[in-house]
Amino acid sequence: MTLAATLLQSELLPEGLDVSFKALPSVLVVGMLLVFLAIGFVFRVADTEDMWVAGRSIGNLENGMAIGANWMSAASYLGMAALIATAGVYGLAFVVGWTTGYFILLIFLAAQLRRFGKYTAPDFVGDRFNSDTARAIGAVTTFLIGFVYAIGQARGMALVGLYIFGDLGFLGLSGYQAMVIIMMSITVGYLTLSGMLGATKNMAVQYVILIVAFVAGLYAVGLANGYSTVLPHIEYGALIADLSAEFSEPFVNASFYLWIATAFSLIVGTCGLPHVLVRFYTVENERTARWSTVWGLFFICILYFSAPAFAAFGTDLYSRNIGAVYGDPGMTSSAADVIVVLAAQLSNLPQWFVGLVAAGGIAAAIATTAGLFIAGSSAISHDIYTTIINPDATQRQQVLVGRLSIVLLGVLTTLAALDPAAPIAALVSYAFSLAGAVLFPMFFLGMWWENTNRQGAVAGMVTGLVLWSVPMINEVVPTYGFFGGETLSPALATWMPAIGSALIVTPVVFVVTIAVSYATPEPPEETKRIVRQCHSPERMSRQQTAEDIVTDGGENPADD
């Protein structure tokens, strides 16, 4: 099966998956969901400080676990193994991209963003560049990222839910579509109640669930089939020679250029995702921000080092029990997206254990959806409604608008996920390209070049949005029935693919932003001092920001 075929299939029922109601797994998942709701209720919020940044009270280990759960979405838990299984070496671009991005965050952005000390990503853009226009563009981009990214999470929850609850189709909907509605309703319900504080507490629990389920599933599958014993992360290499060339040979399924484009987009996208960056605002100080990034990267790597082994085991089990993985028809994208659960099922493991592996996928999807929806709703409530439309809004009004924004995001995501345009990992990658094209250049230049100004930021963000839209219209929009359902320009799809468009767009945005900033007046001196203060070695108190220090007359060593 070619990469294009893999990414554009939309079959909604995975072949080989046991789609039937299962009592013990159902009890396990329902119990897990009830725990999430209970935690959300206990840590429910009534003010914006807890709603958006958890009162800046989260420690480094807890925030590291929240980063891990927030990051390891259905795309990591399910989609990464799926892409490695169907696209072989190309799938490793996702492992490289998603881990490398965190090193850039750790070195260049984590502590600096915490010292700047805002509530949201658009908040940073608006205040750093002294522009409500930039703030509004950032807010719209954040909302759009949350929407596109969450479609993949809804797809993942629904596909896994089919294994646990069976075909629950109602009102003329298929079992998959019914599961999308059920899972998204539960997710939206607990988020509107809990806000960031409850979501963060839940993410720590969700991380434990998903990592235990994934690693235990990997070891169980390896032992049950004789693939591995002590270290499946390495031992799976002995299996590669028995798999098809599509799995192990470089660039059989995708070109070297597409590999580079995808990896680059995922790296810069990681550094621009609002729901990732907001984690740095929830901690007490910049030191905690750095250490929570280190812990988060450690927790993430546990799963990422395991995904290739799971993909190899699942590929071999599929070929032996169901049919050919590659060729025509080959493994469908829906089966690939549940290869982790399918591998456990085909290994004849106890039903409750397969249910645990499935529950991990649901926990991963819910955790990421929580971060996405909090970031998207805060963009609407805090950055547009409160800052631009109604500066005198009360705390109650802000929280209400935030909760309504979560509901709106949930409805839009549910509708789009009823018939998704691509597999989980591809859907998520579109959001990464957007974040890398529009927001990452603003964060990086905003923190590391004090002369970046309002005009340059607005010009760069608009350029990024427009250029990102081009390959989306070219490749993704037609899959929803427009333009005859065919890619408009195959040549454009080759050199500027939607899944890796940031390779072209991000450098252009950097150039436009810098050029316009040079051609227009420099930003105010106070803004420059705030940027310098973000690099000061002096520690801040829990609620203190760089702006507070500059406003109070504090000196930065860079000014001496």
Side-chain angles (χ1 to χ4, degrees):
M1 181 183 296
T2 65
L3 177 68
T6 299
L7 296 182
L8 294 178
Q9 283 189 55
S10 60
E11 293 89 347
L12 302 180
L13 288 177
E15 70 277 8
L17 190 70
D18 179 11
V19 179
S20 63
F21 178 79
K22 301 171 184 67
L24 283 177
S26 296
V27 170
L28 184 67
V29 171
V30 169
M32 180 185 73
L33 296 175
L34 288 175
V35 169
F36 295 165
L37 288 171
I39 293 174
F41 179 78
V42 171
F43 292 98
R44 63 192 181 279
V45 299
D47 61 65
T48 54
E49 188 81 7
D50 282 344
M51 184 73 177
W52 306 136
V53 293
R56 305 195 200 280
S57 61
I58 307 301
N60 55 31
L61 183 60
E62 184 179 11
N63 200 47
M65 295 177 74
I67 287 173
N70 200 10
W71 181 253
M72 286 184 289
S73 64
S76 294
Y77 194 98
L78 301 171
M80 186 183 296
L83 262 181
I84 295 173
T86 55
V89 172
Y90 173 71
L92 296 180
F94 289 76
V95 179
V96 172
W98 283 338
T99 50
T100 305
Y102 266 93
F103 285 101
I104 297 176
L105 280 174
L106 173 63
I107 297 169
F108 294 107
L109 293 174
Q112 290 78 11
L113 286 170
R114 173 58 190 90
R115 291 184 72 87
F116 201 90
K118 297 301 175 180
Y119 285 110
T120 67
D123 210 15
F124 166 83
V125 172
D127 285 8
R128 166 60 181 87
F129 301 114
N130 306 295
S131 170
D132 280 344
T133 301
R135 184 191 303 274
I137 296 173
V140 171
T141 302
T142 298
F143 192 87
L144 188 57
I145 288 170
F147 165 62
V148 175
Y149 203 130
I151 297 172
Q153 311 314 308
R155 174 182 167 94
M157 284 189 284
L159 289 172
V160 171
L162 286 172
Y163 171 80
I164 296 171
F165 299 107
D167 190 339
L168 299 180
F170 53 77
L171 299 178
L173 298 173
S174 68
Y176 164 83
Q177 293 171 328
M179 199 57 62
V180 167
I181 294 173
I182 293 170
M183 290 297 181
M184 288 303 299
S185 297
I186 293 171
T187 304
V188 169
Y190 109 77
L191 272 179
T192 54
L193 179 71
S194 64
M196 178 59 86
L197 182 60
T200 298
K201 301 298 182 182
N202 258 318
M203 285 174 191
V205 175
Q206 287 158 350
Y207 175 78
V208 173
I209 293 173
L210 73 89
I211 202 65
V212 168
F214 197 88
V215 175
L218 175 63
Y219 272 89
V221 170
L223 287 168
N225 297 278
Y227 293 138
S228 61
T229 53
V230 179
L231 202 59
H233 313 75
I234 296 175
E235 292 175 84
Y236 82 93
L239 185 63
I240 290 180
D242 298 328
L243 300 177
S244 300
E246 287 89 344
F247 185 90
S248 57
E249 290 187 15
F251 318 122
V252 172
N253 300 291
S255 66
F256 176 71
Y257 176 81
L258 183 60
W259 198 101
I260 294 296
T262 302
F264 180 87
S265 291
L266 296 176
I267 291 170
V268 296
T270 299
C271 300
L273 285 176
H275 75 289
V276 172
L277 298 176
V278 76
R279 300 296 339 155
F280 304 133
Y281 297 140
T282 65
V283 297
E284 297 180 4
N285 53 53
E286 64 275 21
R287 184 176 185 274
T288 307
R290 278 201 178 100
W291 273 107
S292 62
T293 308
V294 173
W295 278 112
L297 185 58
F298 169 73
F299 292 138
I300 289 166
C301 283
I302 293 175
L303 186 143
Y304 281 11
F305 288 151
S306 304
F310 230 140
F313 297 165
T315 300
D316 187 61
L317 287 167
Y318 184 98
S319 64
R320 285 197 286 147
N321 293 277
I322 299 175
V325 176
Y326 309 103
D328 190 10
M331 185 193 299
T332 65
S333 62
S334 292
D337 276 341
V338 291
I339 193 67
V340 169
V341 179
L342 200 55
Q345 175 195 306
L346 295 175
S347 299
N348 296 314
L349 297 173
Q351 199 174 77
W352 67 266
F353 187 86
V354 183
L356 173 65
V357 176
I362 293 175
I366 290 178
T368 299
T369 304
L372 291 166
F373 281 16
I374 290 292
S377 66
S378 64
I380 300 300
S381 175
H382 178 73
D383 297 299
I384 292 182
Y385 176 72
T386 303
T387 305
I388 299 175
I389 298 175
N390 184 14
D392 297 323
T394 64
Q395 294 267 326
R396 184 174 180 179
Q397 288 174 320
Q398 293 179 54
V399 172
L400 176 61
V401 173
R403 286 172 170 157
L404 291 175
S405 300
I406 289 174
V407 173
L408 175 61
L409 255 175
V411 171
L412 292 175
T413 300
T414 301
L415 291 174
L418 293 177
D419 186 15
I424 296 170
L427 289 167
V428 167
S429 299
Y430 303 148
F432 275 80
S433 293
L434 175 58
V438 179
L439 295 180
F440 168 65
M442 300 307 110
F443 295 136
F444 192 88
L445 289 174
M447 284 287 88
W448 289 94
W449 187 42
E450 64 182 38
N451 287 329
T452 313
N453 63 12
R454 175 194 300 117
Q455 296 89 337
V458 171
M461 294 174 79
V462 171
T463 300
L465 269 175
V466 171
L467 292 181
W468 173 81
S469 301
V470 172
M472 292 295 290
I473 294 172
N474 183 52
E475 297 177 55
V476 181
V477 172
T479 64
Y480 284 98
F482 297 96
F483 310 121
E486 298 292 332
T487 298
L488 298 179
S489 171
L492 179 63
T494 299
W495 296 107
M496 193 174 172
I499 202 169
S501 60
L503 180 64
I504 301 295
V505 180
T506 302
V508 172
V509 172
F510 267 91
V511 170
V512 168
T513 304
I514 293 171
V516 174
S517 294
Y518 267 123
T520 51
E522 294 184 357
E525 184 60 31
E526 182 177 344
T527 299
K528 294 183 179 181
R529 286 173 56 83
I530 292 173
V531 173
R532 294 170 198 154
Q533 182 55 234
C534 289
H535 298 275
S536 171
E538 298 180 7
R539 293 183 65 176
M540 291 179 168
S541 63
R542 176 168 158 180
Q543 299 295 340
Q544 199 173 29
T545 67
E547 185 177 2
D548 296 334
I549 295 175
V550 170
T551 302
D552 293 341
E555 287 297 319
N556 185 334
D559 296 329
D560 296 341

